[in-house]
Amino acid sequence: CLDSWGTSYIQEENAKPGTPGWQVDPASFDPATLSAYSSKDSYTCGEIIALRVHATSRWVAAEVFRMGYYGGVGARRVWATEGNSLGGPQPAPVIVQGRVPAKPQQMVDASRWFLTLGIRVDGSYTPGTYLIKVSDRSGRSTYVPFTVRDDTGTKHALLLQQATTTWQ
């Protein structure tokens, strides 16, 4: 992990070449056969992303993309599994209705899902917005969004708040 990111890390990061193929085709999204989430919305260097995946397939791959300009490509791959079998079914999620019957929450609780994969955030994860693209051999894909924070104490001119819980 770095002691400081300095002031030009975003320009340096976005000048790197992008990785095509990071987009998920909406037709390939089927939450009944492939779903995933991480234990938190944001991480800092040294933390581990706890990824939980539900899949009807035993073979699932994960790729981590940093979002940015990258010559107009939109993302750069920073990490990927190498042919691992990560898939498998998870316990059925529970629908939480809330305490007020007139105002049902209809929220999904998948807290009983077991850990599928841990991904360490190291110094190669430049602060910013990331997507984990989870895919199976049938061509289904889904995203897990997260943010890498700069917790080094460096003062920046801009602060961005990301409301990741509303990205459905």
Side-chain angles (χ1 to χ4, degrees):
C1 297
L2 303 176
D3 292 333
S4 172
W5 285 98
T7 58
S8 62
Y9 70 89
I10 293 175
Q11 294 86 352
E12 293 167 10
E13 175 68 29
N14 283 327
K16 296 176 181 177
T19 308
W22 62 270
Q23 296 95 338
V24 167
D25 177 2
S28 75
F29 177 68
D30 179 5
T33 57
L34 182 63
S35 297
Y37 76 96
S38 70
S39 57
K40 298 189 324 182
D41 291 334
S42 69
Y43 299 87
T44 191
C45 192
E47 292 186 310
I48 296 176
I49 301 164
L51 186 65
R52 290 164 169 82
V53 177
H54 165 77
T56 55
S57 169
R58 283 280 176 210
W59 186 93
V60 176
E63 298 174 278
V64 177
F65 293 92
R66 184 184 186 278
M67 309 312 295
Y69 179 67
Y70 302 109
V73 175
R76 179 178 73 87
R77 187 169 80 175
V78 297
W79 184 86
T81 56
E82 296 182 17
N84 291 336
S85 297
L86 303 175
Q90 295 276 10
V94 176
I95 304 297
V96 179
Q97 294 299 336
R99 297 181 194 157
V100 182
K103 297 180 182 178
Q105 291 178 342
Q106 306 247 339
M107 301 290 290
V108 175
D109 176 4
S111 61
R112 297 181 306 147
W113 286 16
F114 55 84
L115 177 66
T116 305
L117 175 67
I119 304 169
R120 180 174 299 281
V121 177
D122 61 19
S124 67
Y125 284 74
T126 305
T129 301
Y130 287 78
L131 293 175
I132 303 172
K133 182 180 180 182
V134 180
S135 305
D136 67 14
R137 286 188 175 164
S138 300
R140 292 182 203 89
S141 297
T142 191
Y143 287 134
V144 177
F146 69 95
T147 301
V148 172
R149 303 182 316 270
D150 176 4
D151 285 356
T152 63
T154 302
K155 299 247 182 210
H156 297 283
L158 180 67
L159 173 67
L160 177 66
Q161 179 178 345
Q162 295 185 358
T164 55
T165 57
T166 63
W167 287 3
Q168 287 190 358

